[in-house]
Amino acid sequence: MNLFQNAKFFTTVNHLKDLPDTGAEIAFVGRSNAGKSSAINTLCNHVRLAYVSKTPGRTQHINFFELANGHFMVDLPGYGYAAVPEAVRQHWVTLLGDYLQTRRQLIGLVLIMDCRHPLKPLDIQMLDFFAKTGRPVHILLSKADKLSKNEQIKTLSSVKKALKPFSERQDVSVQLFSSLKKQGMEEVENVVGGWFVRLEPELSEEDCPV
């Protein structure tokens, strides 16, 4: 079964107190305009499941989608976009940070980076921040179609090398991805599907959600 096919919108929240009582969750996050919404839409074979905008910072809430296996995919606000009121930006930062650090149901993070500009300082900060949870991270180097095959190989190799220090602390993997060419979809399925198989039993050891 395709994990992401037929994903359905479940709910959207703007405060931690409103987080739903769900099963296991995997979350998608990335710098504003890195291609996160396009990646979600491509994986789910849905044109507008996640809103795609030419204006970075469009995702302002935490959006939940129910997957085919009965668990959930979470679309988190993009980070690194400052052209919003400071009070709004700070709310996003707090909401995003608290969710990533405290959400018991979260079993893994899919981190989107533009393959032409990977591992920016805020991406490194995100990896460092999430490492404290001990949960796995899978990085999608999006917009791979913008690079030649040779450039793709070089970029993937250099990112893997740069990620070695992080891999010593947690499960970190990386792949090329293109929403336009639908490149790398099966690999995402395999990695994320493995998270549900390996980590779901932990949920039964806990009692109540955050």
Side-chain angles (χ1 to χ4, degrees):
M1 178 187 293
N2 185 310
L3 178 63
F4 297 99
Q5 288 283 333
N6 303 315
K8 299 177 294 185
F9 175 76
F10 184 73
T11 192
T12 184
V13 303
N14 194 31
H15 299 280
L16 289 179
K17 64 181 178 60
D18 298 322
L19 289 174
D21 183 2
T22 67
E25 298 168 0
I26 53 102
F28 281 68
V29 72
R31 285 180 55 85
S32 296
N33 215 28
K36 172 171 59 70
S37 294
S38 294
I40 290 173
N41 288 335
T42 298
L43 287 167
C44 296
N45 193 28
H46 197 295
V47 178
R48 290 173 66 85
L49 188 69
Y51 190 86
V52 179
S53 173
K54 292 183 180 179
T55 302
R58 185 74 189 194
T59 304
Q60 301 177 15
H61 298 72
I62 296 179
N63 297 311
F64 289 77
F65 302 90
E66 188 170 3
L67 298 172
N69 64 0
H71 295 304
F72 292 81
M73 171 180 68
V74 183
D75 183 12
L76 298 172
Y79 55 87
Y81 183 62
V84 293
E86 177 59 25
V88 174
R89 190 190 68 82
Q90 189 56 50
H91 174 71
W92 293 357
V93 170
T94 302
L95 183 67
L96 179 65
D98 287 350
Y99 170 84
L100 291 173
Q101 287 275 292
T102 66
R103 184 65 167 170
R104 177 184 61 83
Q105 290 95 326
L106 181 61
I107 66 170
L109 187 68
V110 180
L111 176 56
I112 315 297
M113 300 181 195
D114 187 325
C115 67
R116 299 166 296 178
H117 315 288
L119 294 174
K120 291 292 187 180
L122 285 177
D123 298 323
I124 299 296
Q125 288 181 30
M126 176 59 71
L127 286 167
D128 279 331
F129 183 77
F130 194 66
K132 300 171 185 176
T133 70
R135 298 300 195 191
V137 178
H138 187 55
I139 297 170
L140 303 190
L141 298 176
S142 68
K143 307 182 184 182
D145 53 279
K146 302 292 186 181
L147 301 179
S148 68
K149 289 294 184 182
N150 191 47
E151 289 171 332
Q152 289 182 26
I153 293 170
K154 287 182 178 179
T155 298
L156 183 60
S157 177
S158 64
V159 170
K160 283 183 175 179
K161 184 177 180 180
L163 288 172
K164 284 185 178 179
F166 296 96
S167 300
E168 294 172 358
R169 293 181 294 168
Q170 66 186 132
D171 179 3
V172 179
S173 51
V174 60
Q175 69 164 95
L176 294 163
F177 188 85
S178 169
S179 297
L180 182 64
K181 301 292 186 180
K182 297 188 176 180
Q183 173 186 351
M185 294 177 63
E186 184 177 351
E187 187 172 351
V188 183
E189 290 264 347
N190 290 338
V191 172
V192 174
W195 292 350
F196 283 114
V197 170
R198 298 197 317 264
L199 299 177
E200 186 185 351
E202 294 183 14
L203 296 173
S204 61
E205 298 175 5
E206 305 281 350
D207 291 323
C208 59
V210 171

